[in-house]
Amino acid sequence: MSQKDTLKIVIVGHVDHGKSTLIGRLFFDTGSIPEVRYREIEELCKRQGRSFEFAYLMDALEEERDQNVTIDTAQTFFKTKKRPYVIIDAPGHREFLKNMITGAASADAAILLLDGVEGVREQTRRHAYMLSLLGIRQVIVAVNKLDMAGYSQRVFQAASNDILAFLHPLGIVPSYIIPISASEGENIAKSLGKTPWYEGPSILDALDNFKNVRDEEGMDFRFPVQDVYKFDGYRRYAGRIETGSIAVGDEVVFTPSGRRTAVKSIEKWQKPDIQKAGAGECVGLTFEDEVFVERGEVLARYGLAPTPADELRASVFWLSNNPLEKGKSYKLKLATVEVDATLVDIEERFNSSSLEIIERHARQLETTEAGNVIFSLKKPIAAETYVENARLGRFVLEDGMIIGGGGIIREVRSAEGTPVRLLSLDERLATEPDGNQVDLTNLYGEVKFAVTPHFLSLLAKGDRVLFRLRDASQIGPVALLAFENNLGFTFRRERDEVSVVFYREKAASPVPASGEPVI
């Protein structure tokens, strides 16, 4: 397993709903806690006349980490047979919400913890809302402390119904809702038989079922430049590939500068000459041409670059003690770029725990309030909507030198208008066991197709090509493709999936001249 296989998870929920106990149990059940530390805590609990407190495991790790004695941040890992995990620190107290939103902004998945007896609380709703703002799509709802309710299925179902009712308008569909007891270990690593009415996975099995979001198929190549080094006569552009992959010789372009070149070499530590690299890998790149760009620019394949944004429409969650004010400038941090952003409008201001709209076109947001807003940027940056690419669609806001809030991008606006992406059909065409496919389901924005002789020759031979569409908005470009190249096509719609099948129409028989026999 490599570093890129690591899945970052954030565990959130009301302060008393058992987060530390769950984390301690995860460390214990995966063998990630030193035996000596376990024995020390066991002895402490005996002296106190109480059963083993798994929360103490997490407290001990935090204490040692704070003291920089034996535990550093790297040891907040735990491992399963499938891969390593990093638990991002996310304290539940209101005063630590800023820490949570900063950490959760880099998470791949989340566990939303809920006390089955107490049910949904105010912090539960706030944390759930922040997960939606940060665009975290892989979510487990863990209904905890069911041992205190006799593992009642009725209690579990009532808590599940309440949280689903709140998550639905936020657009969060939990991948799993799991009844657990973190203190007793029910459904953490495995079922202990206390919930025979539940047939789903344990917490660890559910985490192992999640995807590494950086490896999503079809994601475009995105490489935010972290730093530039010059030695041996070459400039090396260093950073981490957030999504997609790149190979030597690929034609690429930087955003927002628009500088275009081709990849000359891909280098890693003690591996100076590799031919290809993918998402999650930290690499240095050199190029065929001398280019001069700075930290914050984003490299993409030519024709598939993100929009250079001048203005962002976004949803934000505000945590600073000072209000977020219309007309004021803040530091917006997105990937490796920092830019001054002026808040030009608060379209909607609402209560983050009730989702009630308090005011439209407000002057300011108070602490723990949320809103849909518009930022004007001092200079263009590479940005994307969070549904398009979460790595370039999440941001945090600094108020002075302090993290004040964060959010996700709903719409990218450019002074030059929305660019049309030119897609090479050869690059998008994949030959699957059941036929040729072009997958557009992960593609957003306006597109135009670069038709190639290879694509047309496939159809001329009688092959068919299936275009899988994200939604009906992509029918226009594919219909134009058919019209301009005299192709036949049929639509398919199964549930929410839309697809188009292209084929070459057989040449029509010439119309016989008057008086000629019809064969």
Side-chain angles (χ1 to χ4, degrees):
M1 288 182 287
S2 65
Q3 184 68 28
K4 73 174 184 177
D5 297 318
T6 300
L7 196 78
K8 294 181 178 179
I9 60 172
V10 61
I11 302 178
V12 298
H14 189 75
V15 65
D16 295 323
H17 285 191
K19 185 169 70 72
S20 292
T21 303
L22 174 59
I23 294 173
R25 175 62 78 169
L26 287 171
F27 281 128
F28 178 75
D29 284 359
T30 55
S32 304
I33 191 77
E35 179 70 14
V36 63
R37 176 57 68 188
Y38 176 81
R39 295 302 172 200
E40 286 173 5
I41 294 171
E42 186 179 48
E43 185 60 32
L44 173 64
C45 291
K46 279 183 182 176
R47 290 200 303 271
Q48 294 178 344
R50 57 199 307 174
S51 56
F52 190 90
E53 282 282 355
F54 282 93
Y56 285 4
L57 290 175
M58 185 61 188
D59 294 341
L61 290 175
E62 289 178 341
E63 181 183 351
E64 289 186 345
R65 187 176 59 198
D66 291 344
Q67 294 173 358
N68 196 26
V69 179
T70 58
I71 304 293
D72 60 27
T73 54
Q75 289 177 286
T76 54
F77 282 85
F78 70 87
K79 275 186 180 180
T80 65
K81 290 181 179 178
K82 182 176 180 178
R83 63 182 164 208
Y85 291 87
V86 178
I87 296 177
I88 299 171
D89 196 17
H93 292 282
R94 173 174 166 165
E95 55 267 33
F96 293 133
L97 281 173
K98 283 181 280 190
N99 296 12
M100 177 196 158
I101 202 166
T102 305
S106 63
D108 301 314
I111 299 175
L112 178 60
L113 198 61
L114 176 65
D115 184 325
V117 178
E118 284 196 354
V120 177
R121 300 287 297 273
E122 181 180 343
Q123 285 181 3
T124 316
R125 297 190 186 96
R126 283 209 177 98
H127 290 187
Y129 187 74
M130 281 191 283
L131 295 183
S132 77
L133 281 187
L134 294 168
I136 298 175
R137 302 167 196 165
Q138 302 186 121
V139 177
I140 295 170
V141 172
V143 181
N144 192 24
K145 301 189 181 182
L146 285 184
D147 54 301
M148 301 179 72
Y151 291 101
S152 164
Q153 183 178 10
R154 182 185 57 78
V155 170
F156 168 72
Q157 200 58 55
S160 300
N161 291 343
D162 284 349
I163 191 65
L164 284 175
F166 185 78
L167 295 180
H168 178 71
L170 296 179
I172 294 179
V173 180
S175 303
Y176 306 97
I177 303 180
I178 304 176
I180 68 167
S181 167
S183 61
E184 295 195 2
E186 174 68 4
N187 292 327
I188 305 300
K190 61 182 180 181
S191 171
L192 303 179
K194 305 290 182 61
T195 52
W197 39 267
Y198 173 71
E199 298 179 346
S202 66
I203 292 287
L204 290 177
D205 287 339
L207 287 172
D208 280 351
N209 287 338
F210 280 156
K211 295 179 181 177
N212 187 328
V213 295
R214 296 180 185 86
D215 286 341
E216 284 187 48
E217 293 182 6
M219 295 287 284
D220 291 331
F221 171 66
R222 296 290 183 263
F223 178 82
V225 175
Q226 186 168 334
D227 224 328
V228 184
Y229 304 97
K230 185 176 182 181
F231 54 92
D232 296 338
Y234 289 99
R235 287 178 180 273
R236 286 169 172 78
Y237 294 80
R240 184 178 66 184
I241 300 173
E242 292 294 350
T243 55
S245 62
I246 195 70
V248 171
D250 283 350
E251 195 173 6
V252 290
V253 62
F254 287 94
T255 301
S257 66
R259 291 182 172 84
R260 181 176 163 185
T261 182
V263 176
K264 182 180 178 64
S265 70
I266 303 172
E267 303 171 0
K268 294 178 71 175
W269 174 248
Q270 295 186 331
K271 293 180 181 177
D273 187 22
I274 56 179
Q275 294 299 304
K276 186 176 181 179
E281 294 186 80
C282 295
V283 298
L285 303 176
T286 67
F287 301 105
E288 294 289 351
D289 308 290
E290 193 76 37
V291 291
F292 298 93
V293 299
E294 299 176 344
R295 172 186 166 91
E297 295 240 5
V298 174
L299 190 68
R301 290 175 187 272
Y302 179 68
L304 296 171
T307 302
D310 295 286
E311 195 171 89
L312 301 175
R313 184 169 181 272
S315 296
V316 299
F317 191 98
W318 191 244
L319 299 161
S320 173
N321 292 328
N322 300 318
L324 179 74
E325 296 181 66
K326 182 178 175 180
K328 186 176 174 181
S329 286
Y330 299 87
K331 188 74 73 181
L332 186 147
K333 296 184 174 182
L334 188 157
T336 59
V337 71
E338 296 182 13
V339 64
D340 290 335
T342 302
L343 184 63
V344 295
D345 193 15
I346 301 175
E347 295 180 319
E348 293 173 325
R349 168 189 170 214
F350 44 93
N351 185 315
S352 59
S353 60
S354 67
L355 303 185
E356 174 193 7
I357 294 179
I358 302 170
E359 186 180 9
R360 298 186 192 278
H361 300 290
R363 292 293 310 170
Q364 61 186 39
L365 295 184
E366 303 292 346
T367 305
T368 72
E369 287 184 348
N372 292 323
V373 304
I374 295 176
F375 286 108
S376 176
L377 307 181
K378 188 174 182 179
K379 64 178 183 179
I381 65 169
E384 294 180 280
T385 62
Y386 91 101
V387 294
E388 197 171 2
N389 188 325
R391 300 290 163 183
L392 294 186
R394 299 174 184 170
F395 61 86
V396 295
L397 294 167
E398 269 190 9
D399 183 14
M401 298 296 288
I402 301 172
I403 298 294
I408 58 170
I409 299 171
R410 302 286 189 187
E411 181 183 350
V412 172
R413 296 174 179 176
S414 171
E416 300 173 356
T418 303
V420 178
R421 293 185 174 186
L422 183 64
L423 297 184
S424 166
L425 288 177
D426 270 0
E427 290 183 4
R428 289 275 169 173
L429 186 64
T431 301
E432 305 291 343
D434 54 350
N436 304 303
Q437 288 193 20
V438 175
D439 188 353
L440 305 178
T441 54
N442 285 323
L443 196 68
Y444 290 79
E446 294 186 43
V447 299
K448 187 177 180 181
F449 299 103
V451 181
T452 61
H454 174 246
F455 175 77
L456 294 176
S457 68
L458 277 179
L459 299 170
K461 287 191 303 182
D463 285 6
R464 292 177 174 238
V465 178
L466 173 71
F467 277 53
R468 297 179 58 219
L469 309 187
R470 190 191 72 246
D471 54 42
S473 69
Q474 292 176 325
I475 290 176
V478 296
L480 184 62
L481 169 67
F483 175 77
E484 291 180 338
N485 294 279
N486 195 28
L487 303 175
F489 61 92
T490 58
F491 291 104
R492 290 181 183 174
R493 180 169 182 175
E494 297 178 7
R495 296 182 179 178
D496 295 333
E497 295 186 4
V498 183
S499 60
V500 175
V501 177
F502 281 91
Y503 57 89
R504 171 67 77 187
E505 290 184 311
K506 293 180 179 178
S509 300
V511 178
S514 178
E516 289 184 0
V518 177
I519 298 174

